[in-house]
Amino acid sequence: MMYMVHSFTFRIKEENSMKNIPEVKLGIIAVSRDCFVISLSEKRRERMVSAFGRAGGSIIEIPTTVENEKDMLKAVDEAKAAGCNALVVLLGNFGPETPETLIAKYFDGPVMYIASAEEHSDDLIHGRGDAYCGMLNCSYNLGLRKLRAFIPEYPVVTAEEGAGLILDFIPVARTLIGLKHLKIFTFGPRPYDFFACNAPIKALYDLGIEIQENSELDLLISYRAHKDDPRIADVVKDMAEELGTGNTYPDMLERMAQYELTLLDWAEANIGASRYFVFANKCWPAFPEQFGFEPCYVNSRLASRGIPVACEVDIYGALSEYIGACVTGDAVTLLDINNSVPEDLYMESIKDRYPYKLTDTFMGFHCGNTPICKLNKGCAIKYQLIQHRLLETGDPNFTRGTLEGDIAPGDITFFRLQSAADTSLHAYIAQGEILPVPTKSFGGIGVFAIPEMGRFYRHVLIEKRFPHHGAVAFAHCGKALFSIFKYLGIEDISYNQPKGMLYKTENPFA
């Protein structure tokens, strides 16, 4: 299936503009142990489908109830024929251990297993299903076959509770489908002085993700080939409308529009057998002088459409951003865990107003890649102050192109999936918020508050050698992220532990 990029190049204002993430089409299969009453599983499936509909969901009810392997093959075929790309397997009673777990083997997509709780105290003879017991055997058999499946924290539920679990499963399934069909394009090489971004890519293949590494020269040649592209004028118009009064350098828009088209056309020409894509691109020091601008604003525009473009060839940063986009269905960003909050700013604007210590706060910053929809009013195109110091004298010229402003306040999740030097995968998740506190600084920046951030910073970020880049989702989505990382087989998942819960390396006498 060729993913047509041009169809959404200019449609950033549509409500459903996240075209680079999958749409989940759920099916539900009931299973039944042949020595139990099959109608019990079927009725419980019907009640769960009804409850899910009342909760606002849509799910395809697979007609075949699985008692044996032939039933399993038939039910999986029915799910595939209906276009399902994710499944819920419901143990309406004890369930057939082998056939029910083989569903996860033969179905090409994420599968969640849940079980029906008993319903009435006066119906515990013919109406008792024993799915509480059956779920144990289901898990055991999944392990025997080394099959990955999603089992919620507490999987034995009523119909109404099951509907809630299925709703929780949707962002998990959407992400897993996206990762299975993802290609990461890089334009590098990765900066010499940024070893934090220079992680082994072997772990990407372990996850089933494709990667195409390219040279900056490839990108420059392609960019020059787009000179005078007739589509540039439309992109310039769209940029101007989006920026409004923030369009401080209108002479830059044509160059940036040319670059946006270059990236999207590259993806369309090279996506191959994959369906979704992200970029991890080198952006300094040669880029601005050779291309004539900073790429940050273009990166922000693509991120708003579910196409993260990670700075500094941060491959695992791009991957993490894409996971966040799939989970939330919203724009994400990549920020440096950058600088501490000055004590006078804390005393002036945070202390006694918000329930955070000074060490719970920090500033998340990057040059200007955060989408405009996540910035406060008054954001504008500016120039990269740090690179201007290094590369130019006098008025800024080719270091212009950053989108700068304070990031809007609200809930966030800071997280990252990262490969270590030995290619093992590690992750962290920390929920918090961006405070409505002026940063008094430059770039795309915000004052972040995460409970017990100081301890998390020392005993996770430093101790486990995570890089300075973190993905930011603009919602509390730790629950889904944790489930996704577990499904992917990530054994080391860290989080900001509450006060009184010591990290393994934390000094108890400190």
Side-chain angles (χ1 to χ4, degrees), residues 466-500:
F466 280 102
H468 62 297
H469 283 180
V472 179
F474 294 93
H476 282 170
C477 52
K479 181 179 179 180
L481 289 169
F482 192 89
S483 296
I484 290 161
F485 293 151
K486 276 184 62 180
Y487 191 105
L488 294 174
I490 313 303
E491 295 183 359
D492 179 16
I493 308 172
S494 300
Y495 61 94
N496 54 315
Q497 294 181 185
K499 186 177 181 180

Side-chain angles (χ1 to χ4, degrees), residues 164-357:
L165 294 183
I166 297 171
L167 286 173
D168 287 344
F169 178 54
I170 291 173
V172 175
R174 184 166 57 228
T175 305
L176 296 172
I177 295 165
L179 294 180
K180 184 175 182 179
H181 300 284
L182 180 67
K183 178 177 280 190
I184 301 176
F185 296 107
T186 76
F187 290 100
R190 277 156 273 179
Y192 168 75
D193 238 0
F194 271 61
F195 287 112
C197 295
N198 201 329
I201 63 172
K202 162 76 167 58
L204 296 173
Y205 296 109
D206 294 339
L207 294 175
I209 295 167
E210 291 297 319
I211 183 166
Q212 183 189 100
E213 295 188 281
N214 308 283
S215 162
E216 272 185 295
L217 187 57
D218 295 322
L219 183 60
L220 183 60
I221 291 169
S222 183
Y223 174 73
R224 288 174 175 170
H226 280 76
K227 183 176 174 56
D228 300 323
D229 189 305
R231 299 168 295 169
I232 289 175
D234 287 334
V235 182
V236 168
K237 180 181 177 183
D238 189 67
M239 287 177 165
E241 290 176 357
E242 179 184 57
L243 290 167
T245 57
N247 186 16
T248 48
Y249 297 121
D251 62 301
M252 299 291 293
L253 296 190
E254 186 171 324
R255 286 177 246 176
M256 293 191 287
Q258 181 178 334
Y259 180 61
E260 181 174 302
L261 291 167
T262 300
L263 290 178
L264 292 172
D265 284 353
W266 185 279
E268 184 173 319
N270 291 275
I271 197 165
S274 300
R275 298 179 188 174
Y276 312 106
F277 61 94
V278 296
F279 292 96
N281 298 346
K282 193 171 182 181
C283 48
W284 63 271
F287 184 101
E289 186 169 9
Q290 294 303 311
F291 285 78
F293 60 94
E294 298 284 358
C296 308
Y297 174 52
V298 172
N299 295 355
S300 80
R301 280 171 57 85
L302 295 183
S304 72
R305 284 169 271 172
I307 310 170
V309 185
C311 322
E312 296 155 342
V313 205
D314 182 1
I315 294 170
Y316 287 92
L319 173 61
S320 300
E321 284 188 277
Y322 185 69
I323 290 170
C326 287
V327 167
T328 63
D330 193 11
V332 294
T333 194
L334 186 76
L335 296 178
D336 288 353
I337 301 169
N338 197 70
N339 59 280
S340 60
V341 173
E343 187 172 4
D344 62 343
L345 178 59
Y346 172 79
M347 299 298 292
E348 172 189 318
S349 301
I350 301 173
K351 182 175 170 57
D352 299 327
R353 297 186 184 186
Y354 305 100
Y356 299 109
K357 306 184 296 292

Side-chain angles (χ1 to χ4, degrees), residues 36-37 40 118 120-130:
F36 282 75
V37 180
L40 184 61
E118 309 300 358
H120 303 290
S121 60
D122 59 356
D123 189 21
L124 288 176
I125 298 177
H126 297 299
R128 197 186 79 190
D130 296 359

Side-chain angles (χ1 to χ4, degrees), residues 344-393:
D344 62 343
L345 178 59
Y346 172 79
M347 299 298 292
E348 172 189 318
S349 301
I350 301 173
K351 182 175 170 57
D352 299 327
R353 297 186 184 186
Y354 305 100
Y356 299 109
K357 306 184 296 292
L358 175 59
T359 54
D360 292 338
T361 65
F362 67 98
M363 289 194 189
F365 157 90
H366 229 281
C367 311
N369 59 316
T370 299
I372 198 169
C373 59
K374 301 302 179 184
L375 299 177
N376 285 333
K377 290 182 179 179
C379 61
I381 299 293
K382 296 186 180 180
Y383 67 95
Q384 218 290 353
L385 176 62
I386 298 171
Q387 289 193 32
H388 179 257
R389 293 173 188 155
L390 178 68
L391 302 174
E392 291 186 303
T393 57

